[in-house]
Amino acid sequence: MTPASRTAGAATRRRRLGSVGWHLAAVALLAVILYPVVWVVSASFKPSGSIVGSLELFPQEPTLGNYQRAAEGMAGISVLRFFWNSAVLAVLAVVGTVASSALAGYAFARLRFRGRTVLFVLMISTLLLPFHVLIVPQYAVFQNLGLVDTYVPLLAGKFLAAEAFFVFLMVQFMRGIPHELDESARIDGAGPWGIFWHVVLPLSRPAMVTTAIFTFIWTWNDFLAPLIYLSTPDKYPLPLALQLYIDQTTLSDYGALMAMSMLALLPVIGFFLFFQRLLVDGVATSGLKG
Amino acid sequence: MTSSTVDSARPAAAGRRRPATPPSGRRNGDPMAGYLFLSPWIVGMLLLTVGPMAASLYLSFTDYNLFTTPEWVGLDNYRRLVDDDRWLQSVRVTAGYVLLAVPLKLAAALAVAMLLNQRRRGQGFYRAAFYGPSLIGASVSVAIVWKALFSDDAVVDRLLSWVGLDSGGWVGNPDFSLLMLVLLAAWQFGAPMVIFLAGLKQVPAELYEAAEVDGAGRGRRFWSVTLPMISPVLFFNLLLETINSFQIFTSAYVIGGRNGSPAGSTLFYTVYLYDRGFTDFRMGYASAMAWMLLLGVGLVTAMLFRTARGWVHYSGDNR
């Protein structure tokens, strides 16, 4: 309902001006926001000595030397090793989280049993629980089991549906699947497992994909848990290796550090470019955060 | 979307959209099935959450270094906290950070969401691009880049000196180092922005038209229509960002180290907890710290819920 009093021509001109202004504002804002990202990409190609003070976005004498030094890694361990460690951890975390959250989600969303309500409330309440309340005893348990400096403490929670966010996401999604479908599967003789496997799981693919992508990225970026549990450098994932690098070189080789930072960011940026629509929609509908 | 989130926190209103439950309990088979499907979660709950919580509460009343048996000391750890200057410092740093970072991040998120809520070309692209930093913000890489950008004579320092301000680099300056981390948090406004955007899209256009007919200007429409209509989303974002901000660790540790350099200005609660527990192996003390954190987060959450009654409006059909 545009006010009829305004003449059509003036309104169009105003709209066009508004549109130009809007895009200018959005692009300017975007430039500021993305500056650090562009800066690090460019810095990783600059000679090590001229990084910190430099403002220009294009290296004057681009070099691959930083990446060569980064590839050599540290303490005699190639950067590929850290990459591999990160990948192993992230992939196992994805498998564990998707499987265990789907199982738990199915139980909460589609099955009826005594105590479901109480358990569901318990699950929801762990959403708000700070991880730090648990780390000391968790560490003590894993230490007594002789599992410190292995990947078990980093992955146990993933296989045991400890990330309430993803269980909740599954519950929300599975509740929306029409019940008529399991009715007919039941008439065909399917039990709860058959219905889960043949009906609910295939239809839950969007929730599973969202869970998988976020789990991958969060595990890839995770720092605190590896910092606590791992002590042998050749088991380190990339973030921990980066920290080790800072400690060892005391920032003397900024170039290699920037190159390594880029390498560590690469898979995340790749996922983002590939799945951005899905990631953004996932946040909008489920309240997952970055 | 948030109101649905809040709704489903309550157990599904039994059989609302289903026909009456069959009498025999045939609904998806036998009653044990639920527990079978839940078994990984139940094991995890007991071993990784409930058990450790109980243990942590117990340990907080003991002297425990991981290698000898815990020795009961009563309230000693808690009493010592109040005399611990570094603990007090970590509380101050964290409180200051939460108070600055959360409002700044949410304001940026809301402002950009409102900008993007207009029907324009390329909106999807902007939405994704602004969300990007939220995904990488908590990584070690970004913390390293941030440190490089804010170092002495680096980008930010130079830009400031052009406008006549000499900061001497924010990394080494205790007056600015916290602000640097606040800006890093605000930089990741994308996630709450996306949620705001989803909320803004739900506001019925008729409300704005009606307000305009009544002669309400831009500001008036924002305060009287937008804000009340998105208050559930605002509350959700506020709650989540507050709880998350209390737990900032990676960027603080990478930038300030274990001691919160410079001069303890980035000694966040979690950094100090880590230092006490995993460098000094004073696990009892760290447990007491963890419980104080839980208490603090719990209190703030409860306060937020209490004030929410006054300003969070759910549309009539919900309650």
Side-chain angles (χ1 to χ4, degrees):
Chain A
M1 253 198 282
T2 34
S5 55
R6 221 177 277 153
T7 65
T12 317
R13 200 173 335 123
R14 248 180 66 116
R15 217 176 306 135
R16 207 166 285 156
L17 265 177
S19 178
V20 169
W22 184 88
H23 279 284
L24 279 179
V27 168
L29 203 57
L30 201 60
V32 174
I33 297 303
L34 293 187
Y35 181 84
V37 180
V38 181
W39 185 87
V40 63
V41 176
S42 148
S44 70
F45 292 106
K46 290 174 190 164
S48 202
S50 67
I51 287 177
V52 168
S54 99
L55 297 177
E56 72 259 340
L57 280 182
F58 297 100
Q60 284 171 342
E61 318 153 18
T63 165
L64 282 174
N66 298 328
Y67 284 93
Q68 274 158 9
R69 284 197 310 289
E72 284 162 21
M74 68 208 64
I77 304 162
S78 150
V79 80
L80 285 176
R81 175 84 216 179
F82 303 125
F83 231 92
W84 170 253
N85 295 340
S86 277
V88 167
L89 274 171
V91 168
L92 289 175
V94 167
V95 172
T97 306
V98 171
S100 62
S101 315
L103 288 172
Y106 177 70
F108 282 130
R110 315 283 289 196
L111 301 178
R112 342 196 81 223
F113 50 92
R114 258 168 178 279
R116 184 184 69 165
T117 309
V118 176
L119 293 178
F120 188 73
V121 170
L122 194 63
M123 192 272 293
I124 291 296
S125 63
T126 62
L127 271 177
L128 305 179
L129 190 69
F131 173 57
H132 303 85
V133 183
L134 308 173
I135 48 176
V136 166
Q138 278 186 4
Y139 186 87
V141 168
F142 286 117
Q143 215 248 354
N144 281 318
L145 294 173
L147 291 170
V148 165
D149 204 26
T150 72
Y151 288 170
V152 176
L154 305 179
L155 292 170
K158 319 279 181 184
F159 281 86
L160 298 174
E163 197 78 71
F165 252 130
F166 296 126
V167 179
F168 184 59
L169 185 76
M170 293 287 179
V171 172
Q172 291 286 78
F173 195 88
M174 289 175 176
R175 269 188 190 150
I177 294 170
H179 280 262
E180 291 75 16
L181 293 173
D182 8 345
E183 293 299 336
S184 48
R186 197 172 304 123
I187 290 166
D188 292 345
W193 175 261
I195 295 171
F196 170 70
W197 191 252
H198 294 293
V199 179
V200 173
L201 210 56
L203 289 173
S204 303
R205 197 169 291 148
M208 287 159 65
V209 172
T210 305
T211 301
I213 295 170
F214 273 99
T215 304
F216 187 94
I217 294 175
W218 290 356
T219 312
W220 187 273
N221 281 338
D222 189 21
F223 177 64
L224 178 57
L227 177 70
I228 288 171
Y229 284 111
L230 299 179
S231 51
T232 317
D234 66 4
K235 291 177 186 162
Y236 282 6
L238 271 166
L240 209 52
L242 268 169
Q243 177 63 35
L244 179 71
Y245 204 78
I246 301 176
D247 291 345
Q248 278 192 348
T249 62
T250 51
L251 292 189
S252 59
D253 192 353
Y254 243 110
L257 198 57
M258 289 300 140
M260 274 189 79
S261 300
M262 269 310 296
L263 290 177
L265 283 179
L266 224 51
V268 182
I269 293 176
F271 265 79
F272 172 66
L273 293 178
F274 212 78
F275 295 110
Q276 32 112 346
R277 187 62 187 265
L278 198 137
L279 287 166
V280 172
D281 287 345
V283 173
T285 50
S286 66
L288 281 170
K289 297 279 185 149
Chain B
M1 126 262 121
T2 304
S3 57
S4 80
T5 307
V6 172
D7 269 352
S8 38
R10 279 184 263 129
R16 189 196 289 158
R17 75 173 99 92
R18 307 164 200 163
T21 320
S24 63
R26 277 286 299 151
R27 175 153 282 286
N28 285 358
D30 62 299
M32 277 314 287
Y35 291 103
L36 273 177
F37 276 92
L38 270 190
S39 52
W41 177 81
I42 290 173
V43 171
M45 194 69 197
L46 292 176
L47 290 185
L48 298 175
T49 307
V50 176
M53 269 186 89
S56 141
L57 185 60
Y58 166 72
L59 288 177
S60 75
F61 298 110
T62 67
D63 219 353
Y64 179 49
N65 63 10
L66 207 63
F67 306 108
T68 55
T69 37
E71 187 191 332
W72 184 266
V73 293
L75 283 170
D76 262 18
N77 288 326
Y78 290 94
R79 249 182 250 125
R80 243 177 274 161
L81 280 178
V82 228
D83 292 326
D84 182 348
D85 287 336
R86 299 186 68 213
W87 183 74
L88 292 170
Q89 171 73 3
S90 76
V91 170
R92 270 195 300 271
V93 168
T94 308
Y97 173 78
V98 172
L99 285 173
L100 286 174
V102 174
L104 194 64
K105 185 172 181 176
L106 290 185
L110 182 55
V112 178
M114 289 184 64
L115 182 75
L116 293 192
N117 192 35
Q118 302 177 23
R119 235 176 249 284
R120 304 277 184 202
R121 253 191 207 195
Q123 200 209 50
F125 162 75
Y126 289 116
R127 197 176 69 135
F130 283 124
Y131 173 69
S134 288
L135 269 189
I136 55 173
S139 66
V140 171
S141 303
V142 167
I144 290 171
V145 172
W146 216 253
K147 197 168 177 175
L149 288 172
F150 284 85
S151 294
D152 190 16
D153 209 26
V155 178
V156 175
D157 194 25
R158 285 208 187 175
L159 288 176
L160 285 177
S161 65
W162 282 347
V163 292
L165 291 165
D166 188 20
S167 66
W170 295 27
V171 178
N173 187 339
D175 295 334
F176 285 99
S177 46
L178 186 65
L179 199 56
M180 184 175 119
L181 285 154
V182 167
L183 288 180
L184 176 53
W187 183 64
Q188 304 160 51
F189 65 79
M193 175 205 76
V194 169
I195 293 174
F196 273 135
L197 203 48
L200 286 169
K201 291 216 192 302
Q202 305 291 319
V203 183
E206 300 93 77
L207 288 181
Y208 289 113
E209 282 155 17
E212 214 170 344
V213 170
D214 289 348
R218 255 168 202 278
R220 182 79 206 168
R221 287 201 298 266
F222 175 74
W223 286 108
S224 308
V225 180
T226 310
L227 225 41
M229 289 303 290
I230 62 159
S231 56
V233 188
L234 179 59
F235 179 63
F236 176 80
N237 272 333
L238 178 65
L239 197 64
L240 226 62
E241 293 302 339
T242 306
I243 292 169
N244 285 341
S245 299
F246 270 104
Q247 300 175 53
I248 172 188
F249 180 81
T250 302
S251 44
Y253 184 88
V254 172
I255 289 175
R258 273 193 292 116
N259 297 315
S261 313
S265 61
T266 59
L267 186 67
F268 284 88
Y269 201 94
T270 56
V271 173
Y272 188 47
L273 195 157
Y274 168 82
D275 189 37
R276 272 288 142 125
F278 294 92
T279 314
D280 301 344
F281 293 107
R282 298 198 41 193
M283 295 290 190
Y285 197 77
S287 297
M289 278 189 68
W291 274 88
M292 292 302 281
L293 175 67
L294 187 62
L295 205 69
V297 173
L299 272 176
V300 171
T301 310
M303 263 164 53
L304 287 177
F305 269 104
R306 187 157 270 261
T307 63
R309 282 186 216 149
W311 60 268
V312 178
H313 308 282
Y314 294 94
S315 39
D317 53 351
N318 272 346
R319 47 202 70 195

